Amino acid sequence: MSRLIIEGGRPLCGELRIQGAKNSALPILTSALLCDSPSIIHNCPDLSDVEASCSILKYLGCEITRVGENVCIDPSGADKFDIPEDLMREMRSSIVFLGAICAKLGKARISFPGGCELGPRPIDLHLSALKQLGVVIEEDHGWLNCHVDGRLHGANIVMSFPSVGATENIMLAAATAQGTTTIVNAAREPEIDDVADFLRQCGAKISGTGESIITIEGVSHLKGCEHTVMPDRIVAATYMAATGITGGDLTLTGVNIRHLSPVLPAFFEAGCEIYTEGDLIHIQRRGPLKSVKYVRTMPYPGFPTDAQAPIMAMSTKAYGTSIFIENIFENRYKHAAELVRLGANIKVEGKVAIVEGTENLFGAAVEATDLRGGAALVVAGLAAEGKTVVTGLHHIDRGYAGIEAELSTLGAKIYRM
Ligand code: EPZ
């Protein structure tokens, strides 16, 4: 079993270009299926989830060519409408194929998706929305058998929660549907904007992304395009947390500052100095690391739930008490118990976690149980005395491209065995 070995106690210093965003690349790869000609996706991160998406596209009949962070998807041969269970279980985002396959082929057969275990992750909002667009869905022993009589049609969809995945699924299904669809209480995450930008370049008529009401005027067909995936705001926040806890000096390039605005207050509160210019952000921590009073995770533009774990890791070595309130997922504190193995002082009560900062962390063997929780263990290990051994790397590799190589360029002593 491969593991990361971290010898902590070195401040992170240097410059790093931020990878493309996993949570944008995945739905964009899926969207390419809708086109009747090839698309080229640039800045597509080298992640196991991207690999999983490409495997599904290949299974469906697409031709995939990858050269570094550039992926070409030719969907002209895609004629399959089912996805094998093992491919569906690899990740949560596979559910977004449902809207795309129904739009392209008028039928689909998939099982329930996999992905990080963060508590219950139902797909009711996806299914009720697709039904309103004209998809007939029969559930059969864990499988969803879907068909469309004729063509998908527009609808006025009001969502009870601004689900990211459901908003994407609706956009993909409605882009070539007959008539106009509105999504009320849509997700406003920047990744939604990026997917819509891709679809717009393919000829889709989508407006209002970034706001709570999105309008999609269906078009008869989409053609392939060339698109560059936006930078990953959560990876950026993770490396900033690693700089905060180690007392480093880091410049990140290729970032989108606006996308980072929900997390910046936490770094200012922690005593970090931040300077931004264009697509560059510089973070430095020279004085004492201070606690982050309250972190409440919310849909965008609130504080992102995906940054909760890395920022919690940073606050374990801060002076004072930090309080976290996880509002998005029911069970997203599994990393807390592992951080306690490193000497952190964390109490969890339901959706509230209270972190009492401690002067020192000590290296130990810890296990990643999900993607961001795994990243949090790396952040803490970088500041712990002695050796930290992190296992469960398949979780981390889903969202961080070459994490040990990136951190080594910044002076960290970290290697994979
Ligand atoms: C996306 O997941 C991201 N994943 C997640 O990032 C992220 O944590 C999440 O959005 C919230 O920002 C990808 O983009 C691939 P949701 P998604 O649908 O689409 C409930 C990471 O670390 N819900 O917005 O699955 C759901 O249970 C990952 O990169 C329903 O109740 O998130 C959750 O409590 C982890 N019914 C809440 O909404 C539904 O039909 C938010 O889920 C759908 C969702």
Side-chain angles (χ1 to χ4, degrees), residues 22-23 26 92-93 116 118 120-126 161-166 168 189 233 305-306 328-330 332 371-372:
K22 166 181 81 82
N23 292 346
L26 301 179
R92 167 91 190 170
S93 184
C116 289
L118 308 173
R121 299 184 77 179
I123 55 170
D124 55 317
L125 298 174
H126 297 248
F161 185 90
S163 154
V164 172
E168 290 163 352
E189 273 67 6
R233 58 196 172 104
T305 172
D306 297 344
I328 308 296
F329 292 106
E330 276 181 31
R332 197 167 203 179
L371 166 57
R372 307 303 171 183

PDB file of all heavy atoms in Angstrom, residues 22-23 26 92-93 116 118 120-126 161-166 168 189 233 305-306 328-330 332 371-372, ligand 1:
ATOM      1  N   LYS A  22     -10.695  20.186 -10.573  1.00  0.00           N
ATOM      2  CA  LYS A  22     -11.342  18.872 -10.726  1.00  0.00           C
ATOM      3  C   LYS A  22     -12.845  19.039 -10.919  1.00  0.00           C
ATOM      4  O   LYS A  22     -13.454  18.446 -11.815  1.00  0.00           O
ATOM      5  CB  LYS A  22     -11.098  18.006  -9.498  1.00  0.00           C
ATOM      6  CG  LYS A  22     -12.004  16.772  -9.429  1.00  0.00           C
ATOM      7  CD  LYS A  22     -11.767  15.950  -8.186  1.00  0.00           C
ATOM      8  CE  LYS A  22     -12.436  16.454  -6.965  1.00  0.00           C
ATOM      9  NZ  LYS A  22     -13.860  16.071  -6.829  1.00  0.00           N
ATOM     10  N   ASN A  23     -13.476  19.861 -10.066  1.00  0.00           N
ATOM     11  CA  ASN A  23     -14.935  19.953 -10.059  1.00  0.00           C
ATOM     12  C   ASN A  23     -15.509  20.736 -11.233  1.00  0.00           C
ATOM     13  O   ASN A  23     -16.712  20.890 -11.344  1.00  0.00           O
ATOM     14  CB  ASN A  23     -15.415  20.517  -8.721  1.00  0.00           C
ATOM     15  CG  ASN A  23     -15.142  19.523  -7.611  1.00  0.00           C
ATOM     16  OD1 ASN A  23     -14.849  18.350  -7.870  1.00  0.00           O
ATOM     17  ND2 ASN A  23     -15.219  19.979  -6.381  1.00  0.00           N
ATOM     18  N   LEU A  26     -14.446  17.616 -14.575  1.00  0.00           N
ATOM     19  CA  LEU A  26     -15.295  16.423 -14.677  1.00  0.00           C
ATOM     20  C   LEU A  26     -16.607  16.706 -15.426  1.00  0.00           C
ATOM     21  O   LEU A  26     -16.906  16.037 -16.410  1.00  0.00           O
ATOM     22  CB  LEU A  26     -15.549  15.838 -13.292  1.00  0.00           C
ATOM     23  CG  LEU A  26     -14.306  15.408 -12.503  1.00  0.00           C
ATOM     24  CD1 LEU A  26     -14.700  14.869 -11.130  1.00  0.00           C
ATOM     25  CD2 LEU A  26     -13.479  14.396 -13.271  1.00  0.00           C
ATOM     26  N   ARG A  92     -18.594  10.420  -7.576  1.00  0.00           N
ATOM     27  CA  ARG A  92     -19.934  10.999  -7.457  1.00  0.00           C
ATOM     28  C   ARG A  92     -20.356  11.685  -8.742  1.00  0.00           C
ATOM     29  O   ARG A  92     -21.500  11.620  -9.186  1.00  0.00           O
ATOM     30  CB  ARG A  92     -19.850  11.997  -6.315  1.00  0.00           C
ATOM     31  CG  ARG A  92     -20.985  12.931  -6.187  1.00  0.00           C
ATOM     32  CD  ARG A  92     -22.026  12.386  -5.287  1.00  0.00           C
ATOM     33  NE  ARG A  92     -23.211  13.209  -5.363  1.00  0.00           N
ATOM     34  CZ  ARG A  92     -24.367  12.841  -4.816  1.00  0.00           C
ATOM     35  NH1 ARG A  92     -24.471  11.675  -4.206  1.00  0.00           N
ATOM     36  NH2 ARG A  92     -25.402  13.617  -4.907  1.00  0.00           N
ATOM     37  N   SER A  93     -19.399  12.341  -9.379  1.00  0.00           N
ATOM     38  CA  SER A  93     -19.702  13.156 -10.551  1.00  0.00           C
ATOM     39  C   SER A  93     -20.220  12.329 -11.718  1.00  0.00           C
ATOM     40  O   SER A  93     -20.789  12.856 -12.668  1.00  0.00           O
ATOM     41  CB  SER A  93     -18.433  13.917 -10.949  1.00  0.00           C
ATOM     42  OG  SER A  93     -18.710  14.776 -12.003  1.00  0.00           O
ATOM     43  N   CYS A 116     -16.794  10.358  -2.408  1.00  0.00           N
ATOM     44  CA  CYS A 116     -16.422  10.487  -0.994  1.00  0.00           C
ATOM     45  C   CYS A 116     -17.630  10.218  -0.086  1.00  0.00           C
ATOM     46  O   CYS A 116     -18.729  10.681  -0.368  1.00  0.00           O
ATOM     47  CB  CYS A 116     -15.924  11.898  -0.696  1.00  0.00           C
ATOM     48  SG  CYS A 116     -14.324  12.277  -1.395  1.00  0.00           S
ATOM     49  N   LEU A 118     -19.437  11.239   2.742  1.00  0.00           N
ATOM     50  CA  LEU A 118     -19.521  12.430   3.606  1.00  0.00           C
ATOM     51  C   LEU A 118     -20.866  12.460   4.310  1.00  0.00           C
ATOM     52  O   LEU A 118     -21.417  13.512   4.622  1.00  0.00           O
ATOM     53  CB  LEU A 118     -19.354  13.691   2.733  1.00  0.00           C
ATOM     54  CG  LEU A 118     -18.117  13.708   1.821  1.00  0.00           C
ATOM     55  CD1 LEU A 118     -18.161  14.913   0.892  1.00  0.00           C
ATOM     56  CD2 LEU A 118     -16.842  13.723   2.643  1.00  0.00           C
ATOM     57  N   PRO A 120     -25.061  10.915   4.085  1.00  0.00           N
ATOM     58  CA  PRO A 120     -25.993  10.579   3.003  1.00  0.00           C
ATOM     59  C   PRO A 120     -25.820  11.566   1.829  1.00  0.00           C
ATOM     60  O   PRO A 120     -25.670  12.761   2.053  1.00  0.00           O
ATOM     61  CB  PRO A 120     -27.382  10.735   3.641  1.00  0.00           C
ATOM     62  CG  PRO A 120     -27.181  11.168   5.046  1.00  0.00           C
ATOM     63  CD  PRO A 120     -25.724  11.275   5.327  1.00  0.00           C
ATOM     64  N   ARG A 121     -25.779  11.047   0.611  1.00  0.00           N
ATOM     65  CA  ARG A 121     -25.660  11.909  -0.579  1.00  0.00           C
ATOM     66  C   ARG A 121     -26.725  11.487  -1.583  1.00  0.00           C
ATOM     67  O   ARG A 121     -26.434  10.910  -2.622  1.00  0.00           O
ATOM     68  CB  ARG A 121     -24.257  11.832  -1.170  1.00  0.00           C
ATOM     69  CG  ARG A 121     -23.185  12.305  -0.210  1.00  0.00           C
ATOM     70  CD  ARG A 121     -21.796  12.324  -0.839  1.00  0.00           C
ATOM     71  NE  ARG A 121     -21.614  13.486  -1.712  1.00  0.00           N
ATOM     72  CZ  ARG A 121     -20.470  13.732  -2.365  1.00  0.00           C
ATOM     73  NH1 ARG A 121     -19.457  12.888  -2.246  1.00  0.00           N
ATOM     74  NH2 ARG A 121     -20.334  14.790  -3.125  1.00  0.00           N
ATOM     75  N   PRO A 122     -27.996  11.809  -1.285  1.00  0.00           N
ATOM     76  CA  PRO A 122     -29.074  11.386  -2.176  1.00  0.00           C
ATOM     77  C   PRO A 122     -28.988  12.081  -3.532  1.00  0.00           C
ATOM     78  O   PRO A 122     -28.304  13.081  -3.675  1.00  0.00           O
ATOM     79  CB  PRO A 122     -30.329  11.828  -1.411  1.00  0.00           C
ATOM     80  CG  PRO A 122     -29.881  12.925  -0.517  1.00  0.00           C
ATOM     81  CD  PRO A 122     -28.444  12.642  -0.175  1.00  0.00           C
ATOM     82  N   ILE A 123     -29.695  11.564  -4.532  1.00  0.00           N
ATOM     83  CA  ILE A 123     -29.745  12.193  -5.862  1.00  0.00           C
ATOM     84  C   ILE A 123     -31.176  12.590  -6.215  1.00  0.00           C
ATOM     85  O   ILE A 123     -31.526  12.750  -7.389  1.00  0.00           O
ATOM     86  CB  ILE A 123     -29.138  11.268  -6.938  1.00  0.00           C
ATOM     87  CG1 ILE A 123     -29.818   9.896  -6.952  1.00  0.00           C
ATOM     88  CG2 ILE A 123     -27.631  11.130  -6.767  1.00  0.00           C
ATOM     89  CD1 ILE A 123     -29.414   9.029  -8.150  1.00  0.00           C
ATOM     90  N   ASP A 124     -32.005  12.766  -5.192  1.00  0.00           N
ATOM     91  CA  ASP A 124     -33.434  13.082  -5.434  1.00  0.00           C
ATOM     92  C   ASP A 124     -33.610  14.354  -6.261  1.00  0.00           C
ATOM     93  O   ASP A 124     -34.480  14.417  -7.133  1.00  0.00           O
ATOM     94  CB  ASP A 124     -34.165  13.208  -4.085  1.00  0.00           C
ATOM     95  CG  ASP A 124     -33.495  14.225  -3.164  1.00  0.00           C
ATOM     96  OD1 ASP A 124     -32.245  14.223  -3.092  1.00  0.00           O
ATOM     97  OD2 ASP A 124     -34.194  15.040  -2.547  1.00  0.00           O
ATOM     98  N   LEU A 125     -32.774  15.368  -6.029  1.00  0.00           N
ATOM     99  CA  LEU A 125     -32.922  16.619  -6.783  1.00  0.00           C
ATOM    100  C   LEU A 125     -32.582  16.413  -8.257  1.00  0.00           C
ATOM    101  O   LEU A 125     -33.203  17.009  -9.140  1.00  0.00           O
ATOM    102  CB  LEU A 125     -32.025  17.704  -6.180  1.00  0.00           C
ATOM    103  CG  LEU A 125     -32.330  18.099  -4.732  1.00  0.00           C
ATOM    104  CD1 LEU A 125     -31.284  19.068  -4.202  1.00  0.00           C
ATOM    105  CD2 LEU A 125     -33.725  18.696  -4.613  1.00  0.00           C
ATOM    106  N   HIS A 126     -31.610  15.542  -8.525  1.00  0.00           N
ATOM    107  CA  HIS A 126     -31.262  15.233  -9.919  1.00  0.00           C
ATOM    108  C   HIS A 126     -32.458  14.562 -10.610  1.00  0.00           C
ATOM    109  O   HIS A 126     -32.883  14.954 -11.686  1.00  0.00           O
ATOM    110  CB  HIS A 126     -30.073  14.267  -9.986  1.00  0.00           C
ATOM    111  CG  HIS A 126     -28.788  14.775  -9.418  1.00  0.00           C
ATOM    112  ND1 HIS A 126     -27.692  15.047 -10.177  1.00  0.00           N
ATOM    113  CD2 HIS A 126     -28.418  15.039  -8.144  1.00  0.00           C
ATOM    114  CE1 HIS A 126     -26.692  15.459  -9.416  1.00  0.00           C
ATOM    115  NE2 HIS A 126     -27.114  15.453  -8.167  1.00  0.00           N
ATOM    116  N   PHE A 161     -32.619  22.942  -2.668  1.00  0.00           N
ATOM    117  CA  PHE A 161     -31.255  23.222  -2.212  1.00  0.00           C
ATOM    118  C   PHE A 161     -30.395  23.474  -3.450  1.00  0.00           C
ATOM    119  O   PHE A 161     -30.553  22.778  -4.452  1.00  0.00           O
ATOM    120  CB  PHE A 161     -30.696  22.039  -1.411  1.00  0.00           C
ATOM    121  CG  PHE A 161     -29.334  22.331  -0.819  1.00  0.00           C
ATOM    122  CD1 PHE A 161     -29.210  22.886   0.429  1.00  0.00           C
ATOM    123  CD2 PHE A 161     -28.184  22.085  -1.564  1.00  0.00           C
ATOM    124  CE1 PHE A 161     -27.958  23.195   0.959  1.00  0.00           C
ATOM    125  CE2 PHE A 161     -26.926  22.386  -1.047  1.00  0.00           C
ATOM    126  CZ  PHE A 161     -26.820  22.949   0.216  1.00  0.00           C
ATOM    127  N   PRO A 162     -29.508  24.483  -3.429  1.00  0.00           N
ATOM    128  CA  PRO A 162     -28.701  24.781  -4.639  1.00  0.00           C
ATOM    129  C   PRO A 162     -27.611  23.731  -4.887  1.00  0.00           C
ATOM    130  O   PRO A 162     -26.421  23.994  -4.756  1.00  0.00           O
ATOM    131  CB  PRO A 162     -28.113  26.157  -4.329  1.00  0.00           C
ATOM    132  CG  PRO A 162     -28.048  26.233  -2.839  1.00  0.00           C
ATOM    133  CD  PRO A 162     -29.207  25.426  -2.325  1.00  0.00           C
ATOM    134  N   SER A 163     -28.051  22.528  -5.249  1.00  0.00           N
ATOM    135  CA  SER A 163     -27.104  21.427  -5.464  1.00  0.00           C
ATOM    136  C   SER A 163     -26.232  21.692  -6.693  1.00  0.00           C
ATOM    137  O   SER A 163     -26.751  21.990  -7.781  1.00  0.00           O
ATOM    138  CB  SER A 163     -27.872  20.119  -5.656  1.00  0.00           C
ATOM    139  OG  SER A 163     -27.113  19.194  -6.416  1.00  0.00           O
ATOM    140  N   VAL A 164     -24.915  21.526  -6.537  1.00  0.00           N
ATOM    141  CA  VAL A 164     -23.971  21.724  -7.651  1.00  0.00           C
ATOM    142  C   VAL A 164     -24.222  20.680  -8.739  1.00  0.00           C
ATOM    143  O   VAL A 164     -24.470  21.002  -9.898  1.00  0.00           O
ATOM    144  CB  VAL A 164     -22.520  21.644  -7.146  1.00  0.00           C
ATOM    145  CG1 VAL A 164     -21.531  21.660  -8.299  1.00  0.00           C
ATOM    146  CG2 VAL A 164     -22.220  22.770  -6.165  1.00  0.00           C
ATOM    147  N   GLY A 165     -24.230  19.419  -8.329  1.00  0.00           N
ATOM    148  CA  GLY A 165     -24.372  18.345  -9.316  1.00  0.00           C
ATOM    149  C   GLY A 165     -25.705  18.390 -10.049  1.00  0.00           C
ATOM    150  O   GLY A 165     -25.760  18.213 -11.268  1.00  0.00           O
ATOM    151  N   ALA A 166     -26.786  18.672  -9.303  1.00  0.00           N
ATOM    152  CA  ALA A 166     -28.105  18.701  -9.944  1.00  0.00           C
ATOM    153  C   ALA A 166     -28.199  19.869 -10.930  1.00  0.00           C
ATOM    154  O   ALA A 166     -28.749  19.725 -12.023  1.00  0.00           O
ATOM    155  CB  ALA A 166     -29.190  18.808  -8.879  1.00  0.00           C
ATOM    156  N   GLU A 168     -25.753  21.098 -12.647  1.00  0.00           N
ATOM    157  CA  GLU A 168     -24.995  20.685 -13.844  1.00  0.00           C
ATOM    158  C   GLU A 168     -25.800  19.684 -14.683  1.00  0.00           C
ATOM    159  O   GLU A 168     -25.892  19.813 -15.903  1.00  0.00           O
ATOM    160  CB  GLU A 168     -23.656  20.070 -13.414  1.00  0.00           C
ATOM    161  CG  GLU A 168     -22.683  21.077 -12.829  1.00  0.00           C
ATOM    162  CD  GLU A 168     -21.542  20.466 -12.037  1.00  0.00           C
ATOM    163  OE1 GLU A 168     -21.562  19.233 -11.788  1.00  0.00           O
ATOM    164  OE2 GLU A 168     -20.642  21.216 -11.626  1.00  0.00           O
ATOM    165  N   GLU A 189     -21.772  28.150  -7.721  1.00  0.00           N
ATOM    166  CA  GLU A 189     -20.326  27.891  -7.663  1.00  0.00           C
ATOM    167  C   GLU A 189     -19.643  28.285  -8.974  1.00  0.00           C
ATOM    168  O   GLU A 189     -20.248  28.135 -10.049  1.00  0.00           O
ATOM    169  CB  GLU A 189     -20.077  26.400  -7.366  1.00  0.00           C
ATOM    170  CG  GLU A 189     -20.044  26.009  -5.890  1.00  0.00           C
ATOM    171  CD  GLU A 189     -21.349  26.126  -5.142  1.00  0.00           C
ATOM    172  OE1 GLU A 189     -22.407  26.410  -5.769  1.00  0.00           O
ATOM    173  OE2 GLU A 189     -21.328  25.980  -3.890  1.00  0.00           O
ATOM    174  N   ARG A 233      -9.757  26.322  -7.038  1.00  0.00           N
ATOM    175  CA  ARG A 233      -9.760  27.207  -5.865  1.00  0.00           C
ATOM    176  C   ARG A 233      -9.551  26.433  -4.574  1.00  0.00           C
ATOM    177  O   ARG A 233      -9.025  26.957  -3.584  1.00  0.00           O
ATOM    178  CB  ARG A 233     -11.079  27.994  -5.812  1.00  0.00           C
ATOM    179  CG  ARG A 233     -12.319  27.141  -5.749  1.00  0.00           C
ATOM    180  CD  ARG A 233     -13.581  27.908  -6.073  1.00  0.00           C
ATOM    181  NE  ARG A 233     -14.708  26.995  -6.174  1.00  0.00           N
ATOM    182  CZ  ARG A 233     -15.639  26.848  -5.240  1.00  0.00           C
ATOM    183  NH1 ARG A 233     -15.587  27.564  -4.153  1.00  0.00           N
ATOM    184  NH2 ARG A 233     -16.627  25.967  -5.398  1.00  0.00           N
ATOM    185  N   THR A 305     -17.366  24.119   1.643  1.00  0.00           N
ATOM    186  CA  THR A 305     -17.206  22.943   2.501  1.00  0.00           C
ATOM    187  C   THR A 305     -15.906  22.188   2.174  1.00  0.00           C
ATOM    188  O   THR A 305     -15.294  21.605   3.048  1.00  0.00           O
ATOM    189  CB  THR A 305     -18.415  21.997   2.361  1.00  0.00           C
ATOM    190  OG1 THR A 305     -18.161  20.769   3.047  1.00  0.00           O
ATOM    191  CG2 THR A 305     -18.703  21.661   0.902  1.00  0.00           C
ATOM    192  N   ASP A 306     -15.448  22.251   0.896  1.00  0.00           N
ATOM    193  CA  ASP A 306     -14.238  21.516   0.515  1.00  0.00           C
ATOM    194  C   ASP A 306     -12.979  22.091   1.134  1.00  0.00           C
ATOM    195  O   ASP A 306     -11.947  21.428   1.179  1.00  0.00           O
ATOM    196  CB  ASP A 306     -14.103  21.485  -1.011  1.00  0.00           C
ATOM    197  CG  ASP A 306     -15.257  20.750  -1.672  1.00  0.00           C
ATOM    198  OD1 ASP A 306     -15.978  20.017  -0.957  1.00  0.00           O
ATOM    199  OD2 ASP A 306     -15.456  20.921  -2.879  1.00  0.00           O
ATOM    200  N   ILE A 328     -23.124  21.661   5.000  1.00  0.00           N
ATOM    201  CA  ILE A 328     -23.433  21.029   3.716  1.00  0.00           C
ATOM    202  C   ILE A 328     -23.527  19.504   3.817  1.00  0.00           C
ATOM    203  O   ILE A 328     -24.459  18.890   3.308  1.00  0.00           O
ATOM    204  CB  ILE A 328     -22.384  21.422   2.650  1.00  0.00           C
ATOM    205  CG1 ILE A 328     -22.214  22.943   2.574  1.00  0.00           C
ATOM    206  CG2 ILE A 328     -22.751  20.835   1.286  1.00  0.00           C
ATOM    207  CD1 ILE A 328     -23.441  23.698   2.115  1.00  0.00           C
ATOM    208  N   PHE A 329     -22.562  18.889   4.480  1.00  0.00           N
ATOM    209  CA  PHE A 329     -22.565  17.426   4.587  1.00  0.00           C
ATOM    210  C   PHE A 329     -22.674  17.001   6.056  1.00  0.00           C
ATOM    211  O   PHE A 329     -22.105  17.648   6.931  1.00  0.00           O
ATOM    212  CB  PHE A 329     -21.307  16.830   3.960  1.00  0.00           C
ATOM    213  CG  PHE A 329     -21.262  16.985   2.467  1.00  0.00           C
ATOM    214  CD1 PHE A 329     -20.412  17.918   1.885  1.00  0.00           C
ATOM    215  CD2 PHE A 329     -22.078  16.232   1.644  1.00  0.00           C
ATOM    216  CE1 PHE A 329     -20.373  18.080   0.504  1.00  0.00           C
ATOM    217  CE2 PHE A 329     -22.057  16.381   0.265  1.00  0.00           C
ATOM    218  CZ  PHE A 329     -21.199  17.316  -0.311  1.00  0.00           C
ATOM    219  N   GLU A 330     -23.391  15.897   6.283  1.00  0.00           N
ATOM    220  CA  GLU A 330     -23.673  15.459   7.659  1.00  0.00           C
ATOM    221  C   GLU A 330     -22.470  14.849   8.357  1.00  0.00           C
ATOM    222  O   GLU A 330     -22.366  14.892   9.579  1.00  0.00           O
ATOM    223  CB  GLU A 330     -24.789  14.414   7.642  1.00  0.00           C
ATOM    224  CG  GLU A 330     -26.170  15.053   7.612  1.00  0.00           C
ATOM    225  CD  GLU A 330     -27.248  13.988   7.622  1.00  0.00           C
ATOM    226  OE1 GLU A 330     -27.011  12.910   8.221  1.00  0.00           O
ATOM    227  OE2 GLU A 330     -28.288  14.227   6.991  1.00  0.00           O
ATOM    228  N   ARG A 332     -18.751  15.147   7.734  1.00  0.00           N
ATOM    229  CA  ARG A 332     -17.514  15.591   7.073  1.00  0.00           C
ATOM    230  C   ARG A 332     -16.443  16.017   8.077  1.00  0.00           C
ATOM    231  O   ARG A 332     -15.725  17.009   7.884  1.00  0.00           O
ATOM    232  CB  ARG A 332     -17.801  16.727   6.080  1.00  0.00           C
ATOM    233  CG  ARG A 332     -16.663  16.907   5.117  1.00  0.00           C
ATOM    234  CD  ARG A 332     -16.945  17.780   3.908  1.00  0.00           C
ATOM    235  NE  ARG A 332     -15.995  17.408   2.847  1.00  0.00           N
ATOM    236  CZ  ARG A 332     -15.963  17.952   1.638  1.00  0.00           C
ATOM    237  NH1 ARG A 332     -16.836  18.901   1.341  1.00  0.00           N
ATOM    238  NH2 ARG A 332     -15.097  17.549   0.745  1.00  0.00           N
ATOM    239  N   LEU A 371     -11.210  12.746   0.255  1.00  0.00           N
ATOM    240  CA  LEU A 371     -10.264  13.597  -0.479  1.00  0.00           C
ATOM    241  C   LEU A 371      -9.738  14.763   0.340  1.00  0.00           C
ATOM    242  O   LEU A 371      -8.541  14.897   0.582  1.00  0.00           O
ATOM    243  CB  LEU A 371     -10.962  14.095  -1.750  1.00  0.00           C
ATOM    244  CG  LEU A 371     -10.344  15.244  -2.519  1.00  0.00           C
ATOM    245  CD1 LEU A 371      -8.920  14.932  -2.946  1.00  0.00           C
ATOM    246  CD2 LEU A 371     -11.215  15.592  -3.732  1.00  0.00           C
ATOM    247  N   ARG A 372     -10.628  15.643   0.812  1.00  0.00           N
ATOM    248  CA  ARG A 372     -10.181  16.857   1.503  1.00  0.00           C
ATOM    249  C   ARG A 372      -9.678  16.539   2.897  1.00  0.00           C
ATOM    250  O   ARG A 372      -8.782  17.201   3.420  1.00  0.00           O
ATOM    251  CB  ARG A 372     -11.309  17.883   1.527  1.00  0.00           C
ATOM    252  CG  ARG A 372     -11.927  18.203   0.192  1.00  0.00           C
ATOM    253  CD  ARG A 372     -10.936  18.709  -0.841  1.00  0.00           C
ATOM    254  NE  ARG A 372     -11.565  18.783  -2.157  1.00  0.00           N
ATOM    255  CZ  ARG A 372     -10.926  19.137  -3.265  1.00  0.00           C
ATOM    256  NH1 ARG A 372      -9.647  19.416  -3.231  1.00  0.00           N
ATOM    257  NH2 ARG A 372     -11.551  19.178  -4.425  1.00  0.00           N
TER     258      ARG A 372
HETATM  259  C1  EPZ B   1     -20.058  18.992  -5.476  1.00  0.00           C
HETATM  260  O1  EPZ B   1     -20.639  17.774  -5.030  1.00  0.00           O
HETATM  261  C2  EPZ B   1     -18.547  18.791  -5.386  1.00  0.00           C
HETATM  262  N1  EPZ B   1     -18.168  17.657  -6.203  1.00  0.00           N
HETATM  263  C3  EPZ B   1     -18.162  18.516  -3.944  1.00  0.00           C
HETATM  264  O2  EPZ B   1     -16.738  18.446  -3.865  1.00  0.00           O
HETATM  265  C4  EPZ B   1     -18.617  19.660  -3.068  1.00  0.00           C
HETATM  266  O3  EPZ B   1     -18.360  19.354  -1.730  1.00  0.00           O
HETATM  267  C5  EPZ B   1     -20.128  19.900  -3.248  1.00  0.00           C
HETATM  268  O4  EPZ B   1     -20.434  20.101  -4.641  1.00  0.00           O
HETATM  269  C6  EPZ B   1     -20.615  21.118  -2.487  1.00  0.00           C
HETATM  270  O5  EPZ B   1     -19.912  22.249  -2.852  1.00  0.00           O
HETATM  271  C7  EPZ B   1     -18.045  17.830  -7.545  1.00  0.00           C
HETATM  272  O6  EPZ B   1     -18.273  18.886  -8.100  1.00  0.00           O
HETATM  273  C8  EPZ B   1     -17.625  16.624  -8.330  1.00  0.00           C
HETATM  274  P1  EPZ B   1     -24.270  18.987  -3.987  1.00  0.00           P
HETATM  275  P2  EPZ B   1     -22.188  17.464  -5.238  1.00  0.00           P
HETATM  276  O7  EPZ B   1     -25.182  18.266  -4.909  1.00  0.00           O
HETATM  277  O8  EPZ B   1     -22.619  17.941  -6.570  1.00  0.00           O
HETATM  278  C9  EPZ B   1     -27.529  17.387  -0.873  1.00  0.00           C
HETATM  279  C10 EPZ B   1     -14.624  17.537  -3.369  1.00  0.00           C
HETATM  280  O9  EPZ B   1     -14.050  17.406  -2.282  1.00  0.00           O
HETATM  281  N2  EPZ B   1     -28.248  16.846  -2.063  1.00  0.00           N
HETATM  282  O10 EPZ B   1     -24.175  20.445  -4.095  1.00  0.00           O
HETATM  283  O11 EPZ B   1     -22.387  16.047  -4.891  1.00  0.00           O
HETATM  284  C11 EPZ B   1     -26.246  16.594  -0.595  1.00  0.00           C
HETATM  285  O12 EPZ B   1     -26.492  15.426   0.115  1.00  0.00           O
HETATM  286  C12 EPZ B   1     -16.116  17.198  -3.502  1.00  0.00           C
HETATM  287  O13 EPZ B   1     -14.078  17.949  -4.404  1.00  0.00           O
HETATM  288  C13 EPZ B   1     -29.477  16.288  -1.903  1.00  0.00           C
HETATM  289  O14 EPZ B   1     -30.013  16.233  -0.794  1.00  0.00           O
HETATM  290  O15 EPZ B   1     -22.809  18.383  -4.087  1.00  0.00           O
HETATM  291  C14 EPZ B   1     -25.417  17.586   0.166  1.00  0.00           C
HETATM  292  O16 EPZ B   1     -25.762  17.555   1.509  1.00  0.00           O
HETATM  293  C15 EPZ B   1     -16.674  16.542  -2.285  1.00  0.00           C
HETATM  294  N3  EPZ B   1     -30.107  15.769  -2.992  1.00  0.00           N
HETATM  295  C16 EPZ B   1     -25.817  18.899  -0.465  1.00  0.00           C
HETATM  296  O17 EPZ B   1     -27.065  18.699  -1.135  1.00  0.00           O
HETATM  297  C17 EPZ B   1     -29.540  15.808  -4.246  1.00  0.00           C
HETATM  298  O18 EPZ B   1     -30.148  15.324  -5.217  1.00  0.00           O
HETATM  299  C18 EPZ B   1     -24.791  19.438  -1.462  1.00  0.00           C
HETATM  300  O19 EPZ B   1     -24.649  18.535  -2.496  1.00  0.00           O
HETATM  301  C19 EPZ B   1     -28.286  16.398  -4.396  1.00  0.00           C
HETATM  302  C20 EPZ B   1     -27.641  16.916  -3.289  1.00  0.00           C
END
